[in-house]
Amino acid sequence: MFFQYLDKTIVGMALLRLLSGSIEIFVAYLFIKYNNVEKALIINSTLSIIGPIIFISTTTLGLVGVANSVSFEKIMWIMIGVGFILYGVKSG
């Protein structure tokens, strides 16, 4: 099987991104189905919760995957950077 040759971390990260993309496509379908701006805003607001969760989960998996080859100090800098990204997105 093809997946046995892939790193488990990469497969996990890819699956999370596929899930995220599938949810985005489903939400676009709901927009069209309901054809209502108010409902679309409510659905979109709910979707805004999922994005950061997928982002944090994917980043966490990646950090776990490189934990042996990257120093603790660099991992902390990466986590601080992720925190800044989340802060910047939520502040704007």
Side-chain angles (χ1 to χ4, degrees), residues 9-90:
T9 303
I10 295 296
V11 172
M13 292 172 74
L15 288 174
L16 280 171
R17 285 295 166 192
L18 285 171
L19 173 66
S20 176
S22 299
I23 292 170
E24 294 274 349
I25 291 169
F26 180 69
V27 166
Y29 163 76
L30 291 177
F31 285 177
I32 294 167
K33 178 184 176 187
Y34 289 116
N35 193 29
N36 182 296
V37 175
E38 289 83 14
K39 287 182 182 179
L41 284 172
I42 291 169
I43 294 167
N44 195 57
S45 298
T46 305
L47 182 64
S48 70
I49 296 169
I50 295 171
I53 291 171
I54 297 291
F55 174 67
I56 290 169
S57 300
T58 306
T59 303
T60 301
L61 275 176
L63 286 174
V64 168
V66 299
N68 293 333
S69 61
V70 177
S71 70
F72 178 75
E73 180 181 337
K74 288 190 179 187
I75 290 176
M76 291 307 298
W77 279 112
I78 293 169
M79 292 176 77
I80 290 168
V82 169
F84 281 139
I85 290 169
L86 292 173
Y87 176 76
V89 169
K90 291 297 179 186

